[in-house]
């Protein structure tokens, strides 16, 4: 029995910190880069679990390296992954995020 069930997304966030957002077609150098586990559904599960709830997630990841890593991360956070499906022939969702020097 679980306290909270979330139906939601699981994304890999690729976060680049840059001095400014590039113009169309422009390439700029970033100051730093991070890869994070994201997606609103997965974030809600992790937050509820850290507050002490027993949590299950319903969603999909791809059968790529990100999907495999994501399933392991969810299990490390004690999230029930019985209904998280690793879909054959699909990639896990990716979010490209730019943060400018002002933190936007």
């Amino acid at each position: 029995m679980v306290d909270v069930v979330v139906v939601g997304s699981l994304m890999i966030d690729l976060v680049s910190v840059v001095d400014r957002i590039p113009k169309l077609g422009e390439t700029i150098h970033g100051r730093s880069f991070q890869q994070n586990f994201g997606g609103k559904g997965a974030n809600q599960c992790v937050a509820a679990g850290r507050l002490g709830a027993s949590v299950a997630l319903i969603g999909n990841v791809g059968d790529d390296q990100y999907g495999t890593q994501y399933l392991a991360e969810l299990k490390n956070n004690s999230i029930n992954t019985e209904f998280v499906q690793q879909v054959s022939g699909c990639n896990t969702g990716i979010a490209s995020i730019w943060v400018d020097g002002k933190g936007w």
Side-chain angles (χ1 to χ4, degrees):
M1 180 81 174
V2 297
D3 300 318
V4 177
V5 176
V6 176
V7 179
S9 62
L10 300 92
M11 302 287 289
I12 297 293
D13 294 342
L14 304 178
V15 182
S16 298
V17 177
V18 295
D19 289 328
R20 61 179 177 76
I21 303 300
K23 297 175 184 167
L24 184 63
E26 181 182 25
T27 301
I28 63 174
H29 291 279
R31 291 190 306 192
S32 65
F33 176 81
Q34 293 180 341
Q35 176 182 308
N36 301 310
F37 296 100
K40 291 184 178 48
N43 289 345
Q44 290 173 8
C45 280
V46 171
R50 290 181 181 175
L51 290 170
S54 172
V55 184
L57 178 60
I58 300 172
N60 293 327
V61 293
D63 68 347
D64 54 5
Q65 68 179 6
Y66 292 131
T68 301
Q69 291 169 357
Y70 216 130
L71 287 172
E73 180 67 13
L74 293 170
K75 290 174 185 173
N76 286 340
N77 279 277
S78 301
I79 295 171
N80 180 328
T81 60
E82 181 180 355
F83 300 103
V84 177
Q85 183 177 358
Q86 197 164 20
V87 181
S88 179
C90 291
N91 294 316
T92 301
I94 299 292
S96 297
I97 301 167
W98 299 334
V99 178
D100 72 10
K102 298 174 188 167
W104 297 94

